[in-house]
Amino acid sequence: MQRRDLVRAAALAPLALSLPSLRAQGAWPQRPVKFILSQPAGSGPDILARYVGEQVARGWSQPVVVENKPGGQNVIGAQAAARSPADGYTFYYATTAAMVTNAYTFKALPYDPVKDFVPVRLVGRSAFVIAAGPAFQGTSLADAFAQAKAQPGKLTIASEGPKTFSGMLADAVAGMAGATFNHVPYTKAPDALQDVLGGRVELVCLPEAALKAYLQGGQVRALAVSSPQRLPQLPNVPALAETFKGFEYTGWNALFAPAGTPAEVVERVNRDLEAALKQPEVAQRLQALGSLPEQRMTVAEFDAFMKSERERWGTLVKTLKIEAQ
């Protein structure tokens, strides 16, 4: 009997040792989950990331902590995320610039958007707005084009820089109209808006979410939106597609994980995000924040979406003749 007990105990030992790891896998997450963000606190992406994090955390019994690492045209935050442990507790809440356009506007990046990350899920798409401040002498985008044509390079527009998402939008639109804007680059949307409100810059091009409060307060006037149709929250503002047929230029926000993150965690986060985004109140809130939620997208579908985005933006960069620096 004693020998049989010893044999049985020896046979069960590996299973006993494996139980803690199995329990740990099944109980993810066991501690707070971090979203790294390349934009500063109070920016449009920051507001979205915090709200999305709050919603998805409800099913995790663990909080989502947003860590802001702005600067370097998203490079600082993206690099920090890429170098984070691939343990399922750190994710990169990214925008189009960090994961697509930077690859075409930088000669060298300290991170690889393709190799250093695995796609988790698209959260939503966001329209950009071209708006006017008190210094702008006109009432429409047509007026802006007329002024920019009459005096090339004089009409100023605040953006995140000519090689950023908002800057490329401004240049793409001006180019199609045969005009030229004078870019005044900013690293923070609030700084750009302060100069626009103070009359030091005439126009501004930023995500709708970043401009929302200023548009509602009448401090800036929207001239056009970059979505293919007018936005429900700005029904009187024309879409750029009304001037340039077929034009669509929307950004997006999405979740990525450091390469090597367990596939089961990636799938779990994808499913939990989808469950949150399908909630009517969540969808309405995101839309109010300037992001149209993507209510259905698997990990594989998001991977295919990213490949198509890289191709699309590569073509646009060539069209605008933007040289990597």
Side-chain angles (χ1 to χ4, degrees):
M1 289 292 294
Q2 187 175 10
R3 182 176 179 181
R4 284 198 300 269
D5 289 342
L6 288 173
V7 172
R8 184 182 179 189
L12 291 175
L15 177 60
L17 290 172
S18 70
L19 287 177
S21 63
L22 292 175
R23 284 196 295 268
Q25 290 177 12
W28 181 95
Q30 294 183 325
R31 62 179 189 268
V33 177
K34 182 192 297 183
F35 284 3
I36 292 180
L37 188 72
S38 297
Q39 289 76 29
S43 63
D46 176 74
I47 295 169
L48 287 166
R50 292 180 188 277
Y51 179 72
V52 170
E54 288 174 3
Q55 301 311 307
V56 76
R58 291 182 177 182
W60 292 348
S61 299
Q62 292 288 347
V64 169
V65 179
V66 175
E67 184 175 311
N68 301 91
K69 288 186 174 294
Q73 295 184 15
N74 297 283
V75 170
I76 295 174
Q79 184 177 18
R83 293 180 176 179
S84 296
D87 57 4
Y89 287 92
T90 300
F91 294 86
Y92 184 36
Y93 193 94
T95 58
T96 316
M99 301 306 289
V100 179
T101 60
N102 273 3
Y104 298 106
T105 57
F106 283 81
K107 283 186 177 179
L109 284 173
Y111 69 95
D112 189 316
V114 179
K115 295 180 180 179
D116 291 345
F117 296 93
V118 292
V120 179
R121 197 183 192 287
L122 186 68
V123 175
R125 306 175 198 244
S126 302
F128 278 64
V129 176
I130 297 177
F136 176 62
Q137 301 298 312
T139 59
S140 67
L141 189 61
D143 291 338
F145 289 150
Q147 292 179 31
K149 289 178 183 178
Q151 295 180 295
K154 183 178 180 181
L155 185 66
T156 54
I157 185 165
S159 71
E160 296 163 301
K163 294 187 178 182
T164 64
F165 198 89
S166 60
M168 285 193 286
L169 168 58
D171 277 344
V173 171
M176 288 187 292
T180 302
F181 290 144
N182 178 15
H183 281 277
V184 182
Y186 296 84
T187 57
K188 298 180 181 179
D191 293 343
L193 286 163
Q194 287 306 310
D195 277 359
V196 172
L197 297 179
R200 292 176 287 277
V201 182
E202 295 155 283
L203 303 176
V204 60
C205 180
L206 287 172
E208 191 266 340
L211 290 169
K212 186 178 181 66
Y214 299 89
L215 293 169
Q216 291 178 336
Q219 295 160 291
V220 296
R221 293 175 290 112
L223 302 181
V225 297
S226 68
S227 51
Q229 295 88 28
R230 297 190 181 199
L231 298 177
Q233 61 270 35
L234 296 172
N236 297 321
V237 180
L240 286 167
E242 296 176 32
T243 301
F244 306 107
K245 187 176 180 180
F247 186 84
E248 178 181 358
Y249 194 108
T250 53
W252 43 259
N253 52 102
L255 208 61
F256 295 81
T261 298
E264 59 269 25
V265 174
V266 171
E267 292 287 349
R268 166 78 185 275
V269 176
N270 176 282
R271 293 193 303 269
D272 291 350
L273 264 175
E274 182 158 311
L277 295 173
K278 283 183 177 178
Q279 299 299 315
E281 64 273 17
V282 174
Q284 291 172 9
R285 178 59 177 159
L286 285 180
Q287 186 169 331
L289 291 172
S291 180
L292 182 63
E294 195 72 28
Q295 296 188 338
R296 183 185 181 281
M297 182 171 282
T298 65
V299 173
E301 288 170 338
F302 183 35
D303 186 40
F305 170 81
M306 287 302 301
K307 291 176 181 176
S308 66
E309 279 291 275
R310 287 190 286 269
E311 292 177 3
R312 184 168 73 91
W313 282 100
T315 301
L316 179 62
V317 167
K318 290 180 181 178
T319 301
L320 294 177
K321 298 180 181 180
I322 292 177
E323 295 183 3
Q325 291 184 349

